[in-house]
Amino acid sequence: MRPGQHFLSMLLAIFAAGCASIAPPASRDTHWVASWGTANFAVDPNNLLPEDEWRDATLRQLVHVSLPGSRVRLRISNAYGTAPLTLDAVTLARAIAPGGADVDPATMRRLTFSGHESIMIPANGEYYSDPVTLDHPAGADLAISIHYKDPPARQTGHPGSRTNSFLARGNRVSEASWSASQKVVRWYQVADLEVQAPMAVAAVSTIGDSITDGHGATTDANDRWPDALAARMRTAGIEMGVVNTGIGGNRLLREGLGPNVVSRFDRDVIARSGVTHVIVLIGTNDLGILHRNKEDTAAARKQLVADLE
């Protein structure tokens, strides 16, 4: 075997092993389905966390899941980072109450990544945790705690969380009770919380602007319209995940707050685990910004409508 062939076969073997460790199926009768998720983008200057607040700090973020489960995994994102992001330690637990930093210690799970507790995620990359067992019902609030040694080199996140996250100094990922922390109404680096579910269970992605993202919703109440949809389906006995991929100020065709829907559709809908349906509500800002900028001549409106169609 020539040296080049040997290197290629070794690389393919490493790649195959890595893929197997990232997302191993539990059985052929189940698959991974997104139970919670958000639309990440490069955080705008008004919503950046100061760099000093990231250093040797733990960020605890709450997510409201739409499916029951016992075997779960987390997708971490550095999709808009400009340099590798190293996470020192990550845990997952059930939150005691919405809007609070404390978690049930009996449910604390330390997450690993291909068997390692720390992980380096390349710029523009994402990574799945290894699966862990954590029993929880649909509608539970799960707390993701991440320890950072250094700040991200461009922050990937979702400012329109309508959910309090908690920031504390030091490595406190394994502490159930947080006596002192800073509240931050944003999410950072978290992309999806997935459950292993029967093959018949699927998910719907709701993509759009602030109407979908939760404009007018109450912080920590989980009362956005996709939350109401998930609750109605639970009441009706329909087991289906609901993933909110709305971004406030978003447009179909042009950049605004977050990438346009056309450019992010694959990441936020097609590529999400278990998604079989999508609800699209977009275009309000395409039309509204044209009007606000006083560019809505008859010719400009006609062209925008044609472009939207």
Side-chain angles (χ1 to χ4, degrees), residues 31-35 66-68 195 197-205 233 238-243 272-277:
H31 66 153
W32 289 106
V33 181
S35 179
S66 55
L67 288 169
V195 299
M199 294 300 294
V201 176
V204 55
S205 176
M233 287 199 291
I238 301 169
E239 195 169 31
M240 190 170 199
V242 178
V243 181
R272 275 212 150 87
S273 296
V275 168
T276 56
H277 294 71

mmCIF file with all atom_site columns, all heavy atoms in Angstrom, residues 31-35 66-68 195 197-205 233 238-243 272-277:
data_model
loop_
_atom_site.group_PDB
_atom_site.id
_atom_site.type_symbol
_atom_site.label_atom_id
_atom_site.label_alt_id
_atom_site.label_comp_id
_atom_site.label_asym_id
_atom_site.label_entity_id
_atom_site.label_seq_id
_atom_site.pdbx_PDB_ins_code
_atom_site.Cartn_x
_atom_site.Cartn_y
_atom_site.Cartn_z
_atom_site.occupancy
_atom_site.B_iso_or_equiv
_atom_site.pdbx_formal_charge
_atom_site.auth_seq_id
_atom_site.auth_comp_id
_atom_site.auth_asym_id
_atom_site.auth_atom_id
_atom_site.pdbx_PDB_model_num
ATOM 1   N N   . HIS A 1 31  ? -35.663 6.402  16.756 1.00 0.00 ? 31  HIS A N   1
ATOM 2   C CA  . HIS A 1 31  ? -34.804 7.394  16.097 1.00 0.00 ? 31  HIS A CA  1
ATOM 3   C C   . HIS A 1 31  ? -34.758 8.648  16.962 1.00 0.00 ? 31  HIS A C   1
ATOM 4   O O   . HIS A 1 31  ? -35.528 8.803  17.906 1.00 0.00 ? 31  HIS A O   1
ATOM 5   C CB  . HIS A 1 31  ? -35.301 7.699  14.675 1.00 0.00 ? 31  HIS A CB  1
ATOM 6   C CG  . HIS A 1 31  ? -36.633 8.388  14.611 1.00 0.00 ? 31  HIS A CG  1
ATOM 7   N ND1 . HIS A 1 31  ? -36.997 9.204  13.565 1.00 0.00 ? 31  HIS A ND1 1
ATOM 8   C CD2 . HIS A 1 31  ? -37.711 8.405  15.462 1.00 0.00 ? 31  HIS A CD2 1
ATOM 9   C CE1 . HIS A 1 31  ? -38.219 9.686  13.763 1.00 0.00 ? 31  HIS A CE1 1
ATOM 10  N NE2 . HIS A 1 31  ? -38.663 9.206  14.900 1.00 0.00 ? 31  HIS A NE2 1
ATOM 11  N N   . TRP A 1 32  ? -33.861 9.556  16.615 1.00 0.00 ? 32  TRP A N   1
ATOM 12  C CA  . TRP A 1 32  ? -33.739 10.799 17.356 1.00 0.00 ? 32  TRP A CA  1
ATOM 13  C C   . TRP A 1 32  ? -34.731 11.822 16.831 1.00 0.00 ? 32  TRP A C   1
ATOM 14  O O   . TRP A 1 32  ? -34.894 11.986 15.617 1.00 0.00 ? 32  TRP A O   1
ATOM 15  C CB  . TRP A 1 32  ? -32.313 11.355 17.240 1.00 0.00 ? 32  TRP A CB  1
ATOM 16  C CG  . TRP A 1 32  ? -31.311 10.539 17.993 1.00 0.00 ? 32  TRP A CG  1
ATOM 17  C CD1 . TRP A 1 32  ? -30.379 9.679  17.465 1.00 0.00 ? 32  TRP A CD1 1
ATOM 18  C CD2 . TRP A 1 32  ? -31.153 10.477 19.409 1.00 0.00 ? 32  TRP A CD2 1
ATOM 19  N NE1 . TRP A 1 32  ? -29.653 9.100  18.472 1.00 0.00 ? 32  TRP A NE1 1
ATOM 20  C CE2 . TRP A 1 32  ? -30.104 9.573  19.676 1.00 0.00 ? 32  TRP A CE2 1
ATOM 21  C CE3 . TRP A 1 32  ? -31.786 11.105 20.474 1.00 0.00 ? 32  TRP A CE3 1
ATOM 22  C CZ2 . TRP A 1 32  ? -29.667 9.280  20.968 1.00 0.00 ? 32  TRP A CZ2 1
ATOM 23  C CZ3 . TRP A 1 32  ? -31.363 10.820 21.769 1.00 0.00 ? 32  TRP A CZ3 1
ATOM 24  C CH2 . TRP A 1 32  ? -30.323 9.911  22.012 1.00 0.00 ? 32  TRP A CH2 1
ATOM 25  N N   . VAL A 1 33  ? -35.392 12.505 17.750 1.00 0.00 ? 33  VAL A N   1
ATOM 26  C CA  . VAL A 1 33  ? -36.391 13.526 17.387 1.00 0.00 ? 33  VAL A CA  1
ATOM 27  C C   . VAL A 1 33  ? -36.129 14.769 18.237 1.00 0.00 ? 33  VAL A C   1
ATOM 28  O O   . VAL A 1 33  ? -35.932 14.679 19.454 1.00 0.00 ? 33  VAL A O   1
ATOM 29  C CB  . VAL A 1 33  ? -37.839 13.029 17.642 1.00 0.00 ? 33  VAL A CB  1
ATOM 30  C CG1 . VAL A 1 33  ? -38.852 14.096 17.233 1.00 0.00 ? 33  VAL A CG1 1
ATOM 31  C CG2 . VAL A 1 33  ? -38.100 11.737 16.877 1.00 0.00 ? 33  VAL A CG2 1
ATOM 32  N N   . ALA A 1 34  ? -36.136 15.921 17.587 1.00 0.00 ? 34  ALA A N   1
ATOM 33  C CA  . ALA A 1 34  ? -35.955 17.186 18.310 1.00 0.00 ? 34  ALA A CA  1
ATOM 34  C C   . ALA A 1 34  ? -37.165 17.439 19.212 1.00 0.00 ? 34  ALA A C   1
ATOM 35  O O   . ALA A 1 34  ? -38.296 17.491 18.737 1.00 0.00 ? 34  ALA A O   1
ATOM 36  C CB  . ALA A 1 34  ? -35.771 18.333 17.332 1.00 0.00 ? 34  ALA A CB  1
ATOM 37  N N   . SER A 1 35  ? -36.895 17.595 20.509 1.00 0.00 ? 35  SER A N   1
ATOM 38  C CA  . SER A 1 35  ? -37.955 17.875 21.483 1.00 0.00 ? 35  SER A CA  1
ATOM 39  C C   . SER A 1 35  ? -37.974 19.351 21.850 1.00 0.00 ? 35  SER A C   1
ATOM 40  O O   . SER A 1 35  ? -38.996 19.892 22.255 1.00 0.00 ? 35  SER A O   1
ATOM 41  C CB  . SER A 1 35  ? -37.725 17.028 22.734 1.00 0.00 ? 35  SER A CB  1
ATOM 42  O OG  . SER A 1 35  ? -38.704 17.270 23.709 1.00 0.00 ? 35  SER A OG  1
ATOM 43  N N   . SER A 1 66  ? -40.882 19.446 24.406 1.00 0.00 ? 66  SER A N   1
ATOM 44  C CA  . SER A 1 66  ? -42.239 19.160 23.932 1.00 0.00 ? 66  SER A CA  1
ATOM 45  C C   . SER A 1 66  ? -42.574 17.675 23.926 1.00 0.00 ? 66  SER A C   1
ATOM 46  O O   . SER A 1 66  ? -43.739 17.305 23.750 1.00 0.00 ? 66  SER A O   1
ATOM 47  C CB  . SER A 1 66  ? -42.433 19.726 22.519 1.00 0.00 ? 66  SER A CB  1
ATOM 48  O OG  . SER A 1 66  ? -41.444 19.246 21.631 1.00 0.00 ? 66  SER A OG  1
ATOM 49  N N   . LEU A 1 67  ? -41.568 16.796 24.115 1.00 0.00 ? 67  LEU A N   1
ATOM 50  C CA  . LEU A 1 67  ? -41.791 15.352 24.082 1.00 0.00 ? 67  LEU A CA  1
ATOM 51  C C   . LEU A 1 67  ? -41.333 14.710 25.393 1.00 0.00 ? 67  LEU A C   1
ATOM 52  O O   . LEU A 1 67  ? -40.378 15.185 26.016 1.00 0.00 ? 67  LEU A O   1
ATOM 53  C CB  . LEU A 1 67  ? -41.012 14.713 22.928 1.00 0.00 ? 67  LEU A CB  1
ATOM 54  C CG  . LEU A 1 67  ? -41.527 14.966 21.511 1.00 0.00 ? 67  LEU A CG  1
ATOM 55  C CD1 . LEU A 1 67  ? -40.498 14.486 20.486 1.00 0.00 ? 67  LEU A CD1 1
ATOM 56  C CD2 . LEU A 1 67  ? -42.865 14.278 21.279 1.00 0.00 ? 67  LEU A CD2 1
ATOM 57  N N   . PRO A 1 68  ? -41.974 13.606 25.791 1.00 0.00 ? 68  PRO A N   1
ATOM 58  C CA  . PRO A 1 68  ? -41.442 12.838 26.912 1.00 0.00 ? 68  PRO A CA  1
ATOM 59  C C   . PRO A 1 68  ? -40.229 12.054 26.442 1.00 0.00 ? 68  PRO A C   1
ATOM 60  O O   . PRO A 1 68  ? -40.035 11.836 25.241 1.00 0.00 ? 68  PRO A O   1
ATOM 61  C CB  . PRO A 1 68  ? -42.603 11.911 27.274 1.00 0.00 ? 68  PRO A CB  1
ATOM 62  C CG  . PRO A 1 68  ? -43.301 11.677 25.962 1.00 0.00 ? 68  PRO A CG  1
ATOM 63  C CD  . PRO A 1 68  ? -43.175 12.971 25.197 1.00 0.00 ? 68  PRO A CD  1
ATOM 64  N N   . VAL A 1 195 ? -34.709 13.562 21.873 1.00 0.00 ? 195 VAL A N   1
ATOM 65  C CA  . VAL A 1 195 ? -35.040 12.347 22.618 1.00 0.00 ? 195 VAL A CA  1
ATOM 66  C C   . VAL A 1 195 ? -35.057 11.170 21.656 1.00 0.00 ? 195 VAL A C   1
ATOM 67  O O   . VAL A 1 195 ? -35.322 11.319 20.462 1.00 0.00 ? 195 VAL A O   1
ATOM 68  C CB  . VAL A 1 195 ? -36.416 12.460 23.325 1.00 0.00 ? 195 VAL A CB  1
ATOM 69  C CG1 . VAL A 1 195 ? -36.403 13.604 24.318 1.00 0.00 ? 195 VAL A CG1 1
ATOM 70  C CG2 . VAL A 1 195 ? -37.553 12.617 22.330 1.00 0.00 ? 195 VAL A CG2 1
ATOM 71  N N   . ALA A 1 197 ? -37.024 8.250  20.348 1.00 0.00 ? 197 ALA A N   1
ATOM 72  C CA  . ALA A 1 197 ? -38.467 8.016  20.318 1.00 0.00 ? 197 ALA A CA  1
ATOM 73  C C   . ALA A 1 197 ? -38.804 6.941  19.298 1.00 0.00 ? 197 ALA A C   1
ATOM 74  O O   . ALA A 1 197 ? -38.013 6.671  18.380 1.00 0.00 ? 197 ALA A O   1
ATOM 75  C CB  . ALA A 1 197 ? -39.189 9.317  19.970 1.00 0.00 ? 197 ALA A CB  1
ATOM 76  N N   . PRO A 1 198 ? -39.981 6.306  19.419 1.00 0.00 ? 198 PRO A N   1
ATOM 77  C CA  . PRO A 1 198 ? -40.412 5.349  18.405 1.00 0.00 ? 198 PRO A CA  1
ATOM 78  C C   . PRO A 1 198 ? -40.438 5.980  17.022 1.00 0.00 ? 198 PRO A C   1
ATOM 79  O O   . PRO A 1 198 ? -40.603 7.196  16.873 1.00 0.00 ? 198 PRO A O   1
ATOM 80  C CB  . PRO A 1 198 ? -41.829 4.957  18.869 1.00 0.00 ? 198 PRO A CB  1
ATOM 81  C CG  . PRO A 1 198 ? -41.831 5.246  20.335 1.00 0.00 ? 198 PRO A CG  1
ATOM 82  C CD  . PRO A 1 198 ? -40.955 6.432  20.525 1.00 0.00 ? 198 PRO A CD  1
ATOM 83  N N   . MET A 1 199 ? -40.312 5.169  15.997 1.00 0.00 ? 199 MET A N   1
ATOM 84  C CA  . MET A 1 199 ? -40.234 5.667  14.627 1.00 0.00 ? 199 MET A CA  1
ATOM 85  C C   . MET A 1 199 ? -41.479 6.457  14.226 1.00 0.00 ? 199 MET A C   1
ATOM 86  O O   . MET A 1 199 ? -41.413 7.328  13.357 1.00 0.00 ? 199 MET A O   1
ATOM 87  C CB  . MET A 1 199 ? -40.034 4.504  13.652 1.00 0.00 ? 199 MET A CB  1
ATOM 88  C CG  . MET A 1 199 ? -38.691 3.792  13.812 1.00 0.00 ? 199 MET A CG  1
ATOM 89  S SD  . MET A 1 199 ? -37.253 4.867  13.553 1.00 0.00 ? 199 MET A SD  1
ATOM 90  C CE  . MET A 1 199 ? -37.426 5.243  11.815 1.00 0.00 ? 199 MET A CE  1
ATOM 91  N N   . ALA A 1 200 ? -42.619 6.183  14.859 1.00 0.00 ? 200 ALA A N   1
ATOM 92  C CA  . ALA A 1 200 ? -43.856 6.894  14.512 1.00 0.00 ? 200 ALA A CA  1
ATOM 93  C C   . ALA A 1 200 ? -43.877 8.327  15.027 1.00 0.00 ? 200 ALA A C   1
ATOM 94  O O   . ALA A 1 200 ? -44.696 9.139  14.585 1.00 0.00 ? 200 ALA A O   1
ATOM 95  C CB  . ALA A 1 200 ? -45.060 6.137  15.068 1.00 0.00 ? 200 ALA A CB  1
ATOM 96  N N   . VAL A 1 201 ? -42.988 8.665  15.971 1.00 0.00 ? 201 VAL A N   1
ATOM 97  C CA  . VAL A 1 201 ? -42.966 10.017 16.544 1.00 0.00 ? 201 VAL A CA  1
ATOM 98  C C   . VAL A 1 201 ? -42.119 10.929 15.664 1.00 0.00 ? 201 VAL A C   1
ATOM 99  O O   . VAL A 1 201 ? -41.014 10.566 15.261 1.00 0.00 ? 201 VAL A O   1
ATOM 100 C CB  . VAL A 1 201 ? -42.409 9.994  17.978 1.00 0.00 ? 201 VAL A CB  1
ATOM 101 C CG1 . VAL A 1 201 ? -42.298 11.404 18.534 1.00 0.00 ? 201 VAL A CG1 1
ATOM 102 C CG2 . VAL A 1 201 ? -43.300 9.127  18.864 1.00 0.00 ? 201 VAL A CG2 1
ATOM 103 N N   . ALA A 1 202 ? -42.639 12.129 15.361 1.00 0.00 ? 202 ALA A N   1
ATOM 104 C CA  . ALA A 1 202 ? -41.942 13.080 14.511 1.00 0.00 ? 202 ALA A CA  1
ATOM 105 C C   . ALA A 1 202 ? -41.999 14.463 15.161 1.00 0.00 ? 202 ALA A C   1
ATOM 106 O O   . ALA A 1 202 ? -42.464 14.616 16.296 1.00 0.00 ? 202 ALA A O   1
ATOM 107 C CB  . ALA A 1 202 ? -42.569 13.113 13.119 1.00 0.00 ? 202 ALA A CB  1
ATOM 108 N N   . ALA A 1 203 ? -41.530 15.469 14.437 1.00 0.00 ? 203 ALA A N   1
ATOM 109 C CA  . ALA A 1 203 ? -41.527 16.838 14.962 1.00 0.00 ? 203 ALA A CA  1
ATOM 110 C C   . ALA A 1 203 ? -41.920 17.803 13.859 1.00 0.00 ? 203 ALA A C   1
ATOM 111 O O   . ALA A 1 203 ? -41.778 17.516 12.670 1.00 0.00 ? 203 ALA A O   1
ATOM 112 C CB  . ALA A 1 203 ? -40.157 17.200 15.517 1.00 0.00 ? 203 ALA A CB  1
ATOM 113 N N   . VAL A 1 204 ? -42.410 18.973 14.275 1.00 0.00 ? 204 VAL A N   1
ATOM 114 C CA  . VAL A 1 204 ? -42.723 20.060 13.355 1.00 0.00 ? 204 VAL A CA  1
ATOM 115 C C   . VAL A 1 204 ? -41.826 21.241 13.724 1.00 0.00 ? 204 VAL A C   1
ATOM 116 O O   . VAL A 1 204 ? -41.633 21.544 14.904 1.00 0.00 ? 204 VAL A O   1
ATOM 117 C CB  . VAL A 1 204 ? -44.222 20.455 13.415 1.00 0.00 ? 204 VAL A CB  1
ATOM 118 C CG1 . VAL A 1 204 ? -44.670 20.797 14.824 1.00 0.00 ? 204 VAL A CG1 1
ATOM 119 C CG2 . VAL A 1 204 ? -44.511 21.634 12.480 1.00 0.00 ? 204 VAL A CG2 1
ATOM 120 N N   . SER A 1 205 ? -41.256 21.891 12.708 1.00 0.00 ? 205 SER A N   1
ATOM 121 C CA  . SER A 1 205 ? -40.470 23.102 12.912 1.00 0.00 ? 205 SER A CA  1
ATOM 122 C C   . SER A 1 205 ? -41.337 24.299 12.551 1.00 0.00 ? 205 SER A C   1
ATOM 123 O O   . SER A 1 205 ? -41.933 24.347 11.476 1.00 0.00 ? 205 SER A O   1
ATOM 124 C CB  . SER A 1 205 ? -39.213 23.078 12.037 1.00 0.00 ? 205 SER A CB  1
ATOM 125 O OG  . SER A 1 205 ? -38.490 24.286 12.172 1.00 0.00 ? 205 SER A OG  1
ATOM 126 N N   . MET A 1 233 ? -51.515 19.626 21.307 1.00 0.00 ? 233 MET A N   1
ATOM 127 C CA  . MET A 1 233 ? -51.281 18.276 20.788 1.00 0.00 ? 233 MET A CA  1
ATOM 128 C C   . MET A 1 233 ? -51.159 17.266 21.924 1.00 0.00 ? 233 MET A C   1
ATOM 129 O O   . MET A 1 233 ? -51.645 16.130 21.812 1.00 0.00 ? 233 MET A O   1
ATOM 130 C CB  . MET A 1 233 ? -50.040 18.269 19.884 1.00 0.00 ? 233 MET A CB  1
ATOM 131 C CG  . MET A 1 233 ? -50.283 18.950 18.546 1.00 0.00 ? 233 MET A CG  1
ATOM 132 S SD  . MET A 1 233 ? -49.101 18.525 17.251 1.00 0.00 ? 233 MET A SD  1
ATOM 133 C CE  . MET A 1 233 ? -47.643 19.321 17.884 1.00 0.00 ? 233 MET A CE  1
ATOM 134 N N   . ILE A 1 238 ? -51.630 13.575 20.759 1.00 0.00 ? 238 ILE A N   1
ATOM 135 C CA  . ILE A 1 238 ? -50.746 13.510 19.591 1.00 0.00 ? 238 ILE A CA  1
ATOM 136 C C   . ILE A 1 238 ? -49.315 13.706 20.077 1.00 0.00 ? 238 ILE A C   1
ATOM 137 O O   . ILE A 1 238 ? -48.971 14.762 20.591 1.00 0.00 ? 238 ILE A O   1
ATOM 138 C CB  . ILE A 1 238 ? -51.108 14.596 18.560 1.00 0.00 ? 238 ILE A CB  1
ATOM 139 C CG1 . ILE A 1 238 ? -52.549 14.422 18.093 1.00 0.00 ? 238 ILE A CG1 1
ATOM 140 C CG2 . ILE A 1 238 ? -50.136 14.563 17.386 1.00 0.00 ? 238 ILE A CG2 1
ATOM 141 C CD1 . ILE A 1 238 ? -53.067 15.594 17.271 1.00 0.00 ? 238 ILE A CD1 1
ATOM 142 N N   . GLU A 1 239 ? -48.483 12.683 19.943 1.00 0.00 ? 239 GLU A N   1
ATOM 143 C CA  . GLU A 1 239 ? -47.093 12.779 20.390 1.00 0.00 ? 239 GLU A CA  1
ATOM 144 C C   . GLU A 1 239 ? -46.235 13.303 19.240 1.00 0.00 ? 239 GLU A C   1
ATOM 145 O O   . GLU A 1 239 ? -45.880 12.571 18.316 1.00 0.00 ? 239 GLU A O   1
ATOM 146 C CB  . GLU A 1 239 ? -46.584 11.428 20.883 1.00 0.00 ? 239 GLU A CB  1
ATOM 147 C CG  . GLU A 1 239 ? -45.299 11.542 21.688 1.00 0.00 ? 239 GLU A CG  1
ATOM 148 C CD  . GLU A 1 239 ? -44.933 10.247 22.388 1.00 0.00 ? 239 GLU A CD  1
ATOM 149 O OE1 . GLU A 1 239 ? -45.263 9.169  21.856 1.00 0.00 ? 239 GLU A OE1 1
ATOM 150 O OE2 . GLU A 1 239 ? -44.318 10.308 23.465 1.00 0.00 ? 239 GLU A OE2 1
ATOM 151 N N   . MET A 1 240 ? -45.919 14.590 19.288 1.00 0.00 ? 240 MET A N   1
ATOM 152 C CA  . MET A 1 240 ? -45.148 15.224 18.222 1.00 0.00 ? 240 MET A CA  1
ATOM 153 C C   . MET A 1 240 ? -44.318 16.357 18.811 1.00 0.00 ? 240 MET A C   1
ATOM 154 O O   . MET A 1 240 ? -44.818 17.158 19.602 1.00 0.00 ? 240 MET A O   1
ATOM 155 C CB  . MET A 1 240 ? -46.080 15.767 17.133 1.00 0.00 ? 240 MET A CB  1
ATOM 156 C CG  . MET A 1 240 ? -45.359 16.231 15.885 1.00 0.00 ? 240 MET A CG  1
ATOM 157 S SD  . MET A 1 240 ? -46.524 16.588 14.543 1.00 0.00 ? 240 MET A SD  1
ATOM 158 C CE  . MET A 1 240 ? -45.395 16.536 13.136 1.00 0.00 ? 240 MET A CE  1
ATOM 159 N N   . GLY A 1 241 ? -43.045 16.404 18.443 1.00 0.00 ? 241 GLY A N   1
ATOM 160 C CA  . GLY A 1 241 ? -42.181 17.472 18.904 1.00 0.00 ? 241 GLY A CA  1
ATOM 161 C C   . GLY A 1 241 ? -42.500 18.780 18.191 1.00 0.00 ? 241 GLY A C   1
ATOM 162 O O   . GLY A 1 241 ? -42.920 18.788 17.036 1.00 0.00 ? 241 GLY A O   1
ATOM 163 N N   . VAL A 1 242 ? -42.311 19.891 18.900 1.00 0.00 ? 242 VAL A N   1
ATOM 164 C CA  . VAL A 1 242 ? -42.483 21.223 18.311 1.00 0.00 ? 242 VAL A CA  1
ATOM 165 C C   . VAL A 1 242 ? -41.198 22.000 18.557 1.00 0.00 ? 242 VAL A C   1
ATOM 166 O O   . VAL A 1 242 ? -40.776 22.160 19.707 1.00 0.00 ? 242 VAL A O   1
ATOM 167 C CB  . VAL A 1 242 ? -43.682 21.968 18.922 1.00 0.00 ? 242 VAL A CB  1
ATOM 168 C CG1 . VAL A 1 242 ? -43.795 23.368 18.314 1.00 0.00 ? 242 VAL A CG1 1
ATOM 169 C CG2 . VAL A 1 242 ? -44.979 21.189 18.694 1.00 0.00 ? 242 VAL A CG2 1
ATOM 170 N N   . VAL A 1 243 ? -40.579 22.473 17.487 1.00 0.00 ? 243 VAL A N   1
ATOM 171 C CA  . VAL A 1 243 ? -39.324 23.212 17.576 1.00 0.00 ? 243 VAL A CA  1
ATOM 172 C C   . VAL A 1 243 ? -39.571 24.630 17.068 1.00 0.00 ? 243 VAL A C   1
ATOM 173 O O   . VAL A 1 243 ? -40.004 24.822 15.926 1.00 0.00 ? 243 VAL A O   1
ATOM 174 C CB  . VAL A 1 243 ? -38.215 22.533 16.742 1.00 0.00 ? 243 VAL A CB  1
ATOM 175 C CG1 . VAL A 1 243 ? -36.909 23.305 16.864 1.00 0.00 ? 243 VAL A CG1 1
ATOM 176 C CG2 . VAL A 1 243 ? -38.030 21.089 17.183 1.00 0.00 ? 243 VAL A CG2 1
ATOM 177 N N   . ARG A 1 272 ? -32.974 19.105 10.904 1.00 0.00 ? 272 ARG A N   1
ATOM 178 C CA  . ARG A 1 272 ? -33.298 18.797 12.311 1.00 0.00 ? 272 ARG A CA  1
ATOM 179 C C   . ARG A 1 272 ? -33.821 17.364 12.442 1.00 0.00 ? 272 ARG A C   1
ATOM 180 O O   . ARG A 1 272 ? -34.628 16.901 11.645 1.00 0.00 ? 272 ARG A O   1
ATOM 181 C CB  . ARG A 1 272 ? -34.357 19.775 12.820 1.00 0.00 ? 272 ARG A CB  1
ATOM 182 C CG  . ARG A 1 272 ? -33.693 21.052 13.315 1.00 0.00 ? 272 ARG A CG  1
ATOM 183 C CD  . ARG A 1 272 ? -34.467 21.662 14.452 1.00 0.00 ? 272 ARG A CD  1
ATOM 184 N NE  . ARG A 1 272 ? -33.579 22.371 15.349 1.00 0.00 ? 272 ARG A NE  1
ATOM 185 C CZ  . ARG A 1 272 ? -33.226 23.639 15.194 1.00 0.00 ? 272 ARG A CZ  1
ATOM 186 N NH1 . ARG A 1 272 ? -33.675 24.330 14.176 1.00 0.00 ? 272 ARG A NH1 1
ATOM 187 N NH2 . ARG A 1 272 ? -32.413 24.209 16.059 1.00 0.00 ? 272 ARG A NH2 1
ATOM 188 N N   . SER A 1 273 ? -33.392 16.720 13.491 1.00 0.00 ? 273 SER A N   1
ATOM 189 C CA  . SER A 1 273 ? -33.733 15.306 13.666 1.00 0.00 ? 273 SER A CA  1
ATOM 190 C C   . SER A 1 273 ? -35.234 15.114 13.831 1.00 0.00 ? 273 SER A C   1
ATOM 191 O O   . SER A 1 273 ? -35.864 15.747 14.676 1.00 0.00 ? 273 SER A O   1
ATOM 192 C CB  . SER A 1 273 ? -33.024 14.753 14.912 1.00 0.00 ? 273 SER A CB  1
ATOM 193 O OG  . SER A 1 273 ? -31.641 14.784 14.739 1.00 0.00 ? 273 SER A OG  1
ATOM 194 N N   . GLY A 1 274 ? -35.795 14.219 13.028 1.00 0.00 ? 274 GLY A N   1
ATOM 195 C CA  . GLY A 1 274 ? -37.192 13.815 13.167 1.00 0.00 ? 274 GLY A CA  1
ATOM 196 C C   . GLY A 1 274 ? -38.215 14.776 12.601 1.00 0.00 ? 274 GLY A C   1
ATOM 197 O O   . GLY A 1 274 ? -39.420 14.518 12.696 1.00 0.00 ? 274 GLY A O   1
ATOM 198 N N   . VAL A 1 275 ? -37.797 15.893 12.008 1.00 0.00 ? 275 VAL A N   1
ATOM 199 C CA  . VAL A 1 275 ? -38.769 16.869 11.497 1.00 0.00 ? 275 VAL A CA  1
ATOM 200 C C   . VAL A 1 275 ? -39.400 16.353 10.204 1.00 0.00 ? 275 VAL A C   1
ATOM 201 O O   . VAL A 1 275 ? -38.707 16.000 9.253  1.00 0.00 ? 275 VAL A O   1
ATOM 202 C CB  . VAL A 1 275 ? -38.112 18.247 11.258 1.00 0.00 ? 275 VAL A CB  1
ATOM 203 C CG1 . VAL A 1 275 ? -39.035 19.166 10.459 1.00 0.00 ? 275 VAL A CG1 1
ATOM 204 C CG2 . VAL A 1 275 ? -37.772 18.905 12.593 1.00 0.00 ? 275 VAL A CG2 1
ATOM 205 N N   . THR A 1 276 ? -40.728 16.309 10.197 1.00 0.00 ? 276 THR A N   1
ATOM 206 C CA  . THR A 1 276 ? -41.480 15.887 9.007  1.00 0.00 ? 276 THR A CA  1
ATOM 207 C C   . THR A 1 276 ? -42.417 16.971 8.498  1.00 0.00 ? 276 THR A C   1
ATOM 208 O O   . THR A 1 276 ? -42.943 16.873 7.398  1.00 0.00 ? 276 THR A O   1
ATOM 209 C CB  . THR A 1 276 ? -42.331 14.636 9.325  1.00 0.00 ? 276 THR A CB  1
ATOM 210 O OG1 . THR A 1 276 ? -43.186 14.929 10.440 1.00 0.00 ? 276 THR A OG1 1
ATOM 211 C CG2 . THR A 1 276 ? -41.460 13.440 9.645  1.00 0.00 ? 276 THR A CG2 1
ATOM 212 N N   . HIS A 1 277 ? -42.664 18.006 9.322  1.00 0.00 ? 277 HIS A N   1
ATOM 213 C CA  . HIS A 1 277 ? -43.599 19.072 8.958  1.00 0.00 ? 277 HIS A CA  1
ATOM 214 C C   . HIS A 1 277 ? -42.984 20.429 9.283  1.00 0.00 ? 277 HIS A C   1
ATOM 215 O O   . HIS A 1 277 ? -42.109 20.531 10.152 1.00 0.00 ? 277 HIS A O   1
ATOM 216 C CB  . HIS A 1 277 ? -44.923 18.933 9.733  1.00 0.00 ? 277 HIS A CB  1
ATOM 217 C CG  . HIS A 1 277 ? -45.706 17.718 9.381  1.00 0.00 ? 277 HIS A CG  1
ATOM 218 N ND1 . HIS A 1 277 ? -45.326 16.439 9.731  1.00 0.00 ? 277 HIS A ND1 1
ATOM 219 C CD2 . HIS A 1 277 ? -46.881 17.577 8.689  1.00 0.00 ? 277 HIS A CD2 1
ATOM 220 C CE1 . HIS A 1 277 ? -46.215 15.564 9.284  1.00 0.00 ? 277 HIS A CE1 1
ATOM 221 N NE2 . HIS A 1 277 ? -47.161 16.225 8.651  1.00 0.00 ? 277 HIS A NE2 1
#
